[in-house]
Structures are given as structure tokens and as C-alpha cells.
Amino acid sequence: DNIGKIALSVVMPENDDDMSTSNISKLETKITQILTASGVSATGYNNNFVIYPKFAINETSVVESGLQDITIINCELSLYIKQVDNNLIFSTISIPLKGNGKDKQISITNAISKINVKDPEFQSFIDNGKSKIIAYYELKCDDIITKSETLLRMRDFEQALGLLMTVPEEVYCYKKIKEKSIVAYKSYQNQKCNSMLQEA
């Protein structure tokens, strides 16, 4: 289902002093939902384009109440769409969030739960990134075809197929790309088939 779709790999921070592993996981789920709601795949054949967050806590305060203290946090979620190869940022967005709970981690969970994945601001952020990614592929189309032909001649069918399948269907040369992909896939199948016959 993801063939021909723009794919953005979600890259999360491995460790964050402010956030627990559970909260990092919750945030990743929210980002994946934002991508899905915007018609973008969260997994693809190539990790050249990524989306990653920065979660910053700007202010933490503790309010004393009769039963237990409540921790209130003011924070900001920033999302970036970046091309890995040349480190170019294609689109950014920052939204303020507020959370509260009996401790800091519960307050962060509360703030993350308030992220509206269908917010029109997220849609325009993704659309802006998509249009720049399409423009990039429009520029690189001939280079991708030439590189795939070289890989096919070298009998590196898997690599050729992976390269061709990164191109979104909105790009003008997609028909050519699709034809090349079929050639690469059939060659890859034959190579696998011969290898299995030899093993047998």
C-alpha cells in the first residue's frame, strides 16, 4: 500500500533527560498518527527523508493543593522534516503544549495526550514538506534512472529496486520509474529463483 507514497521515517531521541521511554514511545505514536492523517507513510524503502521531534519543557511549576501537589508544565513540540543526505530541513512546525499531573512524567504524558493529530497546522506542515520532496525528486529523476540502470547492469537488483521505489507517484517521471521497477523486480525474482534452484 505504501508504494508510490512519500515516506518519512520517524526518528526519535534515544534518551532524553526530561522524558521517560514510555513518553518517547507515546510521542512517536502521535507523530505516526499525524503522518497517517496527512496521507504520508511512516515507513518506506529509503530513510533519506525523516521526521523528528524536539520536545522542550520551558517552565515547570508545582501547585500545592489539599490532597496532593500538582506539577504543571509549559512545553513546546517542534517537528522537522529533513533530508539525511545533505542535512537540509524541508519543513518545520512548533506548537505550545501544557500538561499537569502528580509528577513531571505524568504531566508530560498529559501534554502529549493533548496533541491533536488532525490539527490543520500539522497538515500544512506536512504539505509543505511533501511539495519540497516532490520538487527534489523532479530535479533528481534522470539521475535516479541512470543510477538504477547502473545497478541493474551490476546485477544489484535489490538495491536498484529500493532506489526506484523511493520515488513518489506525483513526480512527472513516475511512469518511467514504474517500468524500471518492474524490470528490476523480475530480474530480482529470477536471481532469487536461480539461487534457490542451485541450493536445491
Side-chain angles (χ1 to χ4, degrees):
D1 290 344
N2 294 336
I3 293 170
K5 278 189 184 178
I6 290 172
L8 295 171
S9 298
V10 181
V11 176
M12 299 301 292
E14 283 179 26
N15 44 29
D16 189 307
D17 293 341
D18 285 324
M19 294 175 78
S20 67
T21 310
S22 169
N23 277 330
I24 290 172
S25 178
K26 283 182 178 74
L27 184 57
E28 183 175 12
T29 301
K30 283 283 185 181
I31 295 167
T32 304
Q33 288 169 346
I34 289 165
L35 292 175
T36 306
S38 304
V40 174
S41 170
T43 53
Y45 298 92
N46 189 324
N47 291 353
N48 195 17
F49 292 97
V50 298
I51 182 167
Y52 68 94
K54 281 190 180 171
F55 192 89
I57 295 170
N58 300 325
E59 190 183 0
T60 306
S61 58
V62 177
V63 176
E64 291 179 13
S65 67
L67 296 169
Q68 63 179 15
D69 294 350
I70 295 170
T71 302
I72 298 169
I73 58 161
N74 286 311
C75 44
E76 188 173 57
L77 171 67
S78 301
L79 296 176
Y80 303 85
I81 294 173
K82 186 172 100 167
Q83 185 185 12
V84 177
D85 282 357
N86 53 23
N87 226 15
L88 272 180
I89 290 175
F90 278 29
S91 189
T92 63
I93 187 174
S94 289
I95 59 157
L97 293 167
K98 200 170 188 174
N100 60 72
K102 65 178 182 181
D103 61 36
K104 190 178 179 183
Q105 288 307 318
I106 291 170
S107 300
I108 292 170
T109 304
N110 180 250
I112 292 168
S113 72
K114 290 176 183 172
I115 298 167
N116 176 11
V117 298
K118 292 184 178 176
D119 187 326
E121 281 192 55
F122 286 130
Q123 182 67 59
S124 65
F125 155 72
I126 298 287
D127 287 346
N128 185 36
K130 274 167 78 172
S131 63
K132 287 184 179 175
I133 289 168
I134 289 163
Y136 164 82
Y137 277 113
E138 297 272 355
L139 201 66
K140 292 282 183 183
C141 223
D142 292 338
D143 292 346
I144 290 167
I145 289 168
T146 304
K147 191 174 177 184
S148 74
E149 285 169 347
T150 304
L151 289 164
L152 286 171
R153 281 195 297 274
M154 292 164 64
R155 303 185 61 76
D156 193 347
F157 306 124
E158 204 169 348
Q159 194 72 26
L161 191 60
L163 174 68
L164 292 163
M165 291 184 108
T166 62
V167 179
E169 58 193 9
E170 294 96 334
V171 176
Y172 79 93
C173 67
Y174 187 72
K175 193 180 172 194
K176 259 188 193 176
I177 292 285
K178 198 174 175 182
E179 287 165 6
K180 290 274 176 202
S181 297
I182 291 165
V183 170
Y185 183 66
K186 284 181 177 174
S187 302
Y188 172 67
Q189 266 190 324
N190 289 337
Q191 189 184 53
K192 276 281 179 197
C193 199
N194 289 334
S195 168
M196 286 166 81
L197 281 168
Q198 280 174 0
E199 274 185 47

